[in-house]
Amino acid sequence: METHYEVLGISACASLDEIKTAHRRLARALHPDKAGTAILGTPPLSTSRFCEDDGSEDGSRSASFLKVQEAWECLRDSSRKREYDESLARRRERVDLKAQKAVEVRLSQLEWEVCDVESDDFEASQTSGIGVPLSTQKVFFSNCRCGDCFELLEEELINCGKEQDHVW
């Protein structure tokens, strides 16, 4: 997805004057009523990146003009620009998180504590004072890539037959 900055051909740290200049230049080049008219003192603008070769250059030029207008409307207002920049940062964080590979963690590397856990196995558990079957298990903790922490109960582990070798 193309950002408003990419639509205008500017950097994300561009000043309001640079945003305005880029918008005016593209608007003159892409406006349906003024498309292609030369402006004295400025080099001709290539609109090839906006106009797809689908046989309807006027339609794609008009769609491109609307993209330029949308970018301008968002970036000219400092509060809307700040919100847009924050949403871009969040989107990039999500992409970065997806790009990170999962890390294999050995059970011996995890922190753990013994806790009373509600159990489905009524016979193997002792009943608490309120009638809820409990069993004593190790609960393993690990930090997640997203910054949160997840818990893993001992009963969720599958023993692979080797000492200290378990798979979740």
Side-chain angles (χ1 to χ4, degrees):
M1 182 175 164
E2 196 173 31
T3 68
H4 290 328
Y5 298 106
E6 292 168 340
V7 167
L8 295 177
I10 57 176
S11 74
C13 58
S15 68
L16 181 58
D17 287 337
E18 292 169 317
I19 294 169
K20 188 185 296 185
T21 301
H23 165 258
R24 285 184 176 166
R25 187 161 189 218
L26 287 169
R28 284 185 196 118
L30 296 170
H31 193 281
D33 294 336
K34 299 180 181 181
T37 58
I39 303 162
L40 293 176
T42 59
L45 179 66
S46 170
T47 58
S48 60
R49 71 182 181 109
F50 292 104
C51 303
E52 300 156 7
D53 191 19
D54 63 355
S56 65
E57 187 173 313
D58 290 340
S60 77
R61 187 179 295 267
S62 181
S64 297
F65 176 75
L66 292 176
K67 282 183 183 179
V68 168
Q69 283 302 108
E70 182 182 350
W72 166 245
E73 290 300 321
C74 178
L75 298 178
R76 75 179 184 167
D77 180 359
S78 62
S79 64
R80 285 183 66 189
K81 182 181 185 296
R82 184 175 44 257
E83 289 173 10
Y84 180 73
D85 290 342
E86 290 170 359
S87 73
L88 277 181
R90 285 191 303 272
R91 187 180 325 149
R92 286 187 183 115
E93 282 178 18
R94 284 192 303 268
V95 168
D96 290 345
L97 278 176
K98 287 180 182 178
Q100 290 179 2
K101 303 241 183 218
V103 178
E104 185 176 309
V105 179
R106 297 206 175 275
L107 193 58
S108 59
Q109 296 172 313
L110 299 178
E111 295 179 32
W112 60 273
E113 62 183 48
V114 176
C115 297
D116 287 333
V117 180
E118 288 185 20
S119 175
D120 294 334
D121 187 6
F122 192 76
E123 291 179 21
S125 64
Q126 57 191 19
T127 305
S128 69
I130 56 172
V132 178
L134 299 176
S135 66
T136 303
Q137 297 186 40
K138 287 183 182 176
V139 179
F140 297 90
F141 301 93
S142 179
N143 291 326
C144 185
R145 294 179 287 172
C146 69
D148 204 357
C149 180
F150 70 89
E151 298 177 358
L152 186 62
L153 297 175
E154 189 174 24
E155 69 185 18
E156 296 174 314
L157 299 174
I158 302 168
N159 192 341
C160 296
K162 299 176 186 172
E163 189 176 323
Q164 297 289 324
D165 237 2
H166 291 82
V167 177
W168 179 53

